[in-house]
Amino acid sequence: MRPGPRGGTAVPATPVLTPVRVLGIETSCDETGVAVYDTATGLRAHALHSQARVHADYGGVVPELASRDHVRRAIPLIERVLDEAGLARTDLDAVAYTAGPGLVGALLVGAAVAQGLAWARRLPALGVHHMEAHLLAPMLEPEPPGFPFVALLVSGGHTQLVAVEGIGRYRMLGDTVDDAAGEAFDKTAQLLGLGYPGGPEIARAATAGRADAYRFPRPMTDRPGLDFSFSGLKTAARHALAGSDGGDRVRADIARGFEAAVVETLAIKCRRALEQTGMARLVVAGGVGANERLRAALSGLEGVRLYFPRHEFCTDNGAMIAYAGACRLAAGEKSPRRIGARPRWPLTELAPPAGP
Ligand code: KG4
Ligand code: ZN
């Protein structure tokens, strides 16, 4: 569903959607993302500040450093986005921010900034679920998916298959029992001596690797079910490295074998999820959705219409938060006026937008 402007024909049973211009703020992890989405005209502007360099030496996100960097970046980024959109703060109708799941300190920075701006201008402020925003991100593209669809959510913190009947109508089909796919990419990249974030680094290294040098397991594909497990793959990569000369060639081969194993595992489970639900649309969202080999493998699924957000909206961004917030705000949903965060927040706790 794309929230539209006020309709020309009056249909009494349908709630009237008043156009809203929503400022979206994303600070759940290591990117500060800001955007303005207008329900009448679409995405007006968006900008991102990545903290990758702040965390690179640590091989993963350092929560306290993340929070501090969000404090520094949020307001200048908001000013920049408003400037690019040709808007003033007074032109905004509402503010949406990531309320969870994520790093608690990082979330609280976004919540404080959003609620502060909203208080000052007496605007509504809505706390958005980060994974709902990811799965709605393809709605920002020219050919958005209709409902229902299966969503593969693959990020640094999540690997989930979700049956999506509508906004807020989510049924969990499968989840990871240990590491998320992105987390496995990041940890394996670290042990191969590659940079952070690990996904793009492994993908780059893998292009120089041989396809048949290492065949790692496709975890949990030999039994029924839609759950995932990726921690064993990382261990398999560690053993492969330990039993080698550790040179660049071997590292590239391991990267190739690891990426192939993750991609094939995800593709097998997606096919199963589509068969199980009888759905024909597959949405892929979250940072790992930017992986080209994953995109190629899923494109090979027969009878399936595939939807990806553009690359920059696969990874964390403000546009998806502004959009998800706009959908719910346009339906009249309100959030309590308090600064809070939900570091753990199951997607299935969400309900369809609550009207006034
Ligand atoms: O959605 P996201 O930006 O943040 C979270 O909500 O976690 O996802 C970040 C994850 C990281 O683990 C990163 O290594 C992975 O997405 N990633 C990729 C690629 N680009 C980012 N993984 C595989 N291939 C990529 N091209
Ligand atoms: Zn994310």
Side-chain angles (χ1 to χ4, degrees), residues 100-343:
L103 302 171
V104 67
L107 290 168
L108 283 170
V109 175
V113 170
Q115 291 284 8
L117 283 173
W119 261 323
R121 302 224 50 79
R122 296 181 195 284
L123 301 178
L126 188 72
V128 167
H129 192 291
H130 182 80
M131 299 314 290
E132 173 170 84
H134 267 307
L135 73 81
L136 294 178
M139 305 286 185
L140 290 161
E141 302 307 330
E143 288 184 38
F147 297 112
F149 55 78
V150 169
L152 172 69
L153 299 176
V154 265
S155 68
H158 293 79
T159 301
Q160 296 177 327
L161 277 162
V162 187
V164 179
E165 303 280 353
I167 292 178
R169 296 173 62 207
Y170 308 127
R171 187 160 46 87
M172 198 58 64
L173 302 170
D175 207 341
T176 179
V177 297
D178 43 50
D179 292 353
E183 190 181 358
F185 268 104
D186 294 338
K187 288 177 177 172
T188 304
Q190 194 179 15
L191 78 90
L192 292 176
L194 302 171
Y196 174 83
E201 293 287 329
I202 292 218
R204 204 169 303 124
T207 53
R210 289 168 298 173
D212 53 358
Y214 289 96
R215 180 164 173 95
F216 294 120
R218 277 51 176 159
M220 296 180 77
T221 54
D222 57 351
R223 65 191 92 156
L226 294 170
D227 284 339
F228 303 93
S229 165
F230 290 109
S231 71
L233 262 184
K234 168 193 73 196
T235 311
R238 178 180 294 117
H239 289 317
L241 186 64
S244 75
D245 65 7
D248 287 350
R249 178 97 195 247
V250 166
R251 286 168 200 270
D253 286 343
I254 294 175
R256 180 75 186 259
F258 172 85
E259 187 186 45
V262 174
V263 162
E264 197 181 324
T265 304
L266 292 172
I268 290 171
K269 299 280 172 151
C270 283
R271 190 176 57 231
R272 265 188 214 170
L274 290 158
E275 280 165 10
Q276 189 174 306
T277 55
M279 292 179 185
R281 297 185 193 96
L282 177 64
V283 159
V284 183
V288 183
N291 186 281
E292 289 301 341
R293 285 200 183 80
L294 177 64
R295 290 179 175 227
L298 295 176
S299 308
L301 295 178
E302 268 176 40
V304 177
R305 180 98 195 261
L306 255 187
Y307 299 88
F308 295 102
R310 72 194 82 164
H311 276 78
E312 61 188 325
F313 294 166
C314 276
T315 44
D316 292 348
N317 64 86
M320 66 182 192
I321 303 301
Y323 179 79
C327 288
R328 288 184 171 273
L329 284 156
E333 186 154 320
K334 299 205 166 42
S335 212
R337 182 63 91 205
R338 65 178 182 86
I339 295 168
R342 290 195 63 182

